[in-house]
Amino acid sequence: MRYMERELQILKVNLKHFILPHLLLSIVLMGLSPLAIGIENLDAQRTARVLEMFTALSGIIILTPVCLPEQNSDIRELVEVKYLSYTRVVLARILENLFFLMIIIGFYIIWLKLNNCSFPMFNYYLGTLAEAFFLGGMGFCAFVILGQIAVGYLLPLMYYIMASCGGRRLLGSLYPFSMIYGSYREKFYLAVLGLVMLVVGVGYIHFYRILRYRKRADKA
Amino acid sequence: MHEIIREISGLNEDELKAALKSYSADPEAAAKQQRLSAAAGLSFERFMELMKQADKLLGGGSMYRKSYIKYIARVPASFNEALQAYNDIIYKERLTGAYARLFCDYLGIVLAILPVFLAVTRALRDKRGGANQVIFSKKAGSASIILSRYLSTVLMIMLPVLSLAGCLSLQFLYYGANEGIDVDVFAFFKYSLFWLLPAVMISSSVGIFLTELTQTAIAIVAMGIWWFVSMSVADLGGGYGWNLIPRHNTIGNYQVFIDNFKILVLNRIGYSLLAILLAAAAVLVYDLKRRGKLAIYGKRASNIKGKP
């Protein structure tokens, strides 16, 4: 129970101090989307285009900066000396960010439906979430391993640009805009790979920390 | 939407449904079979009005918008028109000009966003490494620190672009020599410097300015939004306007390029000047931070160290 209390506190602090600007940014971008793209009376194909080429980008905004607070060396040093494992903190943050990502994409899909767009809601929701999860997972993994937030944003964005510039044949089963062509198979692969990248990122944080402690202990 | 299609095609609901059902992989054959042509007496002005209504129905920004609608229609070129286009490419553009524009069209997409990552990484490295205070106390002026970083970013982005331009020029030179075409060897370089350099400059300066100002990666978001909007509203066939990413997604189309050349020049010069202004603003911000007059990580530098 005490652990749960700690983790609830982590979620509260994460929401209040770290993730809130990213959530607000995602919400503002979604709200302003009609200025750049049409989102009324769309058929299934056009709706898929909006969801895959625009909405899924919120995955990069929300999932990539999970470890952003630790870019500040003061916070990093403070977190590392805490009794509670940093891996647990990161896991709690990931789950919270994922929860908000699901809510934001869910609301956007309801908005599209209210705008008289005709599309299979549940399928498109899962498909968009899979792509957002993949792009965000890629950003998170790159950020954690390379230690640069800019690289964390760069890799998923380059993947997105490559896909949008006719990379369907090149990306094959990992093509992120497959719903436009009526295929969900790719979404399954994207979701699995997104999960793998999140696990790799968290694993890196966990084992890299242990290795650093051991090195320090050996020196001492 | 049904009313709009009915007015354009002149077909009733049943005929339209039948036409939709028989629509095959060969739209031209299906159109002939079902007599799908514009309704008699439909003027071009009325057609454009109806397309505007269709775009509004879809919430704007659709393929029926004025700037995009020309890509839906196809008009076969006559022999004379095709010959004219060929002669333009071979004699007026000396082959490489037409391909250099397409080269810039594709590279412009990436180069409008890529430099911001480099600029942000460069500026954030100081923060992560805690090197700001050390650099602040050095003798070097703020302008020399920021501008040397800015110029090195721009240079390191442009070097591979120019190398690629050189490789393509060699290929075309070889091809031209074999086919007896007098190619413009410098076309790829000229287009790269004129078309792509301003995009690299603006992306880098937005990155450096916003990162120095906020010490966050907000520049990536700002540039990402600008890039996305520019891509969404871009006219692929040469209506450059003031778009950050001028598109010319075709080989040739020389007349359109010449017709819009003036606005393209203004566009590129405008963005170059804006980039220089932002770089100067970044120098100013950096200088104010060094003097302790601007916030760093939410605190005034003078408060961190104690006022002198």
Side-chain angles (χ1 to χ4, degrees):
Chain A
M1 191 63 202
R2 207 176 155 199
Y3 277 131
M4 282 304 288
E5 272 176 29
R6 277 179 182 172
E7 268 135 22
L8 280 174
Q9 189 63 26
I10 291 168
L11 298 184
K12 239 166 83 178
V13 171
N14 183 42
L15 177 63
K16 195 175 167 188
H17 295 290
F18 303 135
I19 195 64
L20 195 60
H22 301 95
L23 291 179
L24 287 176
L25 180 70
S26 286
I27 293 166
V28 168
L29 286 180
M30 300 278 172
L32 295 178
S33 62
L35 296 177
I37 45 174
I39 57 161
E40 290 172 32
N41 304 305
L42 303 177
D43 59 15
Q45 197 188 17
R46 302 249 177 275
T47 310
R49 186 176 287 272
V50 172
L51 289 171
E52 295 188 306
M53 300 190 83
F54 177 74
T55 316
L57 288 175
S58 55
I60 303 176
I61 298 173
I62 294 175
L63 284 180
T64 302
V66 167
C67 298
L68 189 61
E70 285 73 37
Q71 280 275 291
N72 185 329
S73 54
D74 297 340
I75 296 179
R76 192 167 62 239
E77 281 164 16
L78 184 71
V79 167
E80 283 186 355
V81 296
K82 292 278 180 187
Y83 178 72
L84 184 71
S85 160
Y86 179 51
T87 315
R88 285 176 84 110
V89 177
V90 172
L91 272 175
R93 283 187 198 161
I94 288 174
L95 290 176
E96 187 181 23
N97 292 12
L98 203 55
F99 171 73
F100 283 113
L101 180 67
M102 287 164 81
I103 287 182
I104 287 174
I105 291 178
F107 271 110
Y108 194 76
I109 281 188
I110 292 169
W111 190 26
L112 287 176
K113 205 71 185 174
L114 291 175
N115 278 343
N116 209 21
C117 299
S118 49
F119 62 97
M121 250 176 114
F122 188 65
N123 293 2
Y124 273 26
Y125 176 61
L126 290 183
T128 311
L129 207 56
E131 187 191 336
F133 190 55
F134 170 76
L135 292 174
M138 185 190 283
F140 168 76
C141 190
F143 175 32
V144 164
I145 293 174
L146 300 170
Q148 278 288 340
I149 186 67
V151 182
Y153 288 124
L154 172 72
L155 282 185
L157 266 176
M158 283 301 117
Y159 193 87
Y160 173 88
I161 292 173
M162 197 161 66
S164 55
C165 290
R168 193 180 174 200
R169 195 180 289 176
L170 181 72
L171 299 174
S173 296
L174 294 175
Y175 184 64
F177 310 139
S178 61
M179 287 197 311
I180 296 172
Y181 302 96
S183 171
Y184 297 100
R185 188 177 56 89
E186 291 83 350
K187 298 296 174 189
F188 176 74
Y189 296 128
L190 291 180
V192 171
L193 205 60
L195 183 67
V196 168
M197 286 189 285
L198 277 180
V199 170
V200 168
V202 174
Y204 181 84
I205 289 170
H206 187 73
F207 292 110
Y208 181 68
R209 237 178 126 225
I210 291 174
L211 280 176
R212 272 179 62 193
Y213 283 144
R214 280 194 184 157
K215 268 187 187 173
R216 277 183 197 171
D218 289 346
K219 272 185 188 174
Chain B
M1 190 60 96
H2 171 236
E3 286 300 316
I4 292 170
I5 299 171
R6 196 165 68 177
E7 192 176 337
I8 289 172
S9 64
L11 300 177
N12 63 34
E13 194 174 345
D14 291 336
E15 287 172 320
L16 277 173
K17 277 181 182 167
L20 194 66
K21 209 173 175 183
S22 69
Y23 194 80
S24 62
D26 186 355
E28 279 180 29
K32 275 181 195 165
Q33 197 185 343
Q34 292 295 326
R35 294 181 292 105
L36 269 180
S37 54
L42 178 76
S43 67
F44 183 69
E45 286 73 27
R46 178 64 188 152
F47 172 74
M48 290 305 286
E49 211 173 284
L50 289 169
M51 287 296 98
K52 198 177 172 184
Q53 283 178 24
D55 183 46
K56 205 175 170 187
L57 265 175
L58 297 171
S62 73
M63 288 171 83
Y64 305 109
R65 67 179 187 264
K66 198 179 173 185
S67 61
Y68 199 87
I69 198 145
K70 59 188 171 193
Y71 300 110
I72 301 175
R74 282 183 189 179
V75 181
S78 67
F79 175 78
N80 284 338
E81 284 169 337
L83 186 66
Q84 178 67 43
Y86 174 79
N87 285 337
D88 281 350
I89 291 174
I90 300 297
Y91 300 110
K92 288 185 182 167
E93 308 211 65
R94 295 167 67 192
L95 193 61
T96 40
Y99 283 89
R101 271 200 305 278
L102 192 67
F103 170 75
C104 291
D105 174 69
Y106 283 120
L107 271 192
I109 297 172
V110 183
L111 291 178
I113 182 99
L114 200 63
V116 77
F117 292 99
L118 211 60
V120 170
T121 307
R122 173 60 264 171
L124 283 183
R125 265 178 181 269
D126 287 353
K127 180 186 170 184
R128 188 174 161 78
N132 266 334
Q133 301 300 336
V134 179
I135 301 172
F136 282 177
S137 61
K138 294 284 177 192
K139 208 176 173 183
S142 302
S144 62
I145 293 172
I146 293 295
L147 291 182
S148 62
R149 285 177 179 182
Y150 176 66
L151 291 175
S152 61
T153 304
V154 172
L155 188 71
M156 290 316 288
I157 295 274
M158 284 308 289
L159 266 180
V161 174
L162 293 174
S163 307
L164 199 59
C167 291
L168 289 169
S169 299
L170 281 176
Q171 280 185 13
F172 275 94
L173 195 66
Y174 178 72
Y175 178 80
N178 281 339
E179 299 294 323
I181 300 168
D182 177 28
V183 299
D184 180 0
V185 185
F186 297 106
F188 279 97
F189 297 103
K190 283 188 286 189
Y191 273 94
S192 297
L193 292 174
F194 163 71
W195 198 303
L196 299 174
L197 182 61
V200 173
M201 283 171 67
I202 192 83
S203 188
S204 306
S205 54
V206 166
I208 283 191
F209 172 67
L210 287 180
T211 313
E212 288 303 340
L213 187 68
T214 65
Q215 290 288 297
T216 66
I218 191 79
I220 294 174
V221 178
M223 207 61 223
I225 294 170
W226 193 0
W227 178 86
F228 188 84
V229 173
S230 301
M231 284 292 287
S232 301
V233 299
D235 181 346
L236 295 176
Y240 314 117
W242 282 97
N243 200 318
L244 172 68
I245 310 167
R247 304 293 309 271
H248 195 102
N249 194 244
T250 179
I251 298 166
N253 222 358
Y254 180 65
Q255 197 52 47
V256 173
F257 173 66
I258 290 298
D259 292 344
N260 291 287
F261 184 70
K262 203 174 165 185
I263 184 73
L264 182 65
V265 171
L266 285 174
N267 173 315
R268 297 290 86 182
I269 292 176
Y271 280 119
S272 303
L273 289 176
L274 183 64
I276 293 167
L277 276 177
L278 282 173
V283 172
L284 188 70
V285 166
Y286 193 77
D287 198 55
L288 286 174
K289 274 167 41 179
R290 280 182 102 179
R291 290 165 193 267
K293 289 178 181 168
L294 203 68
I296 304 174
Y297 316 145
K299 291 175 183 173
R300 276 176 179 274
S302 50
N303 291 344
I304 296 170
K305 291 287 177 192
K307 282 182 185 173

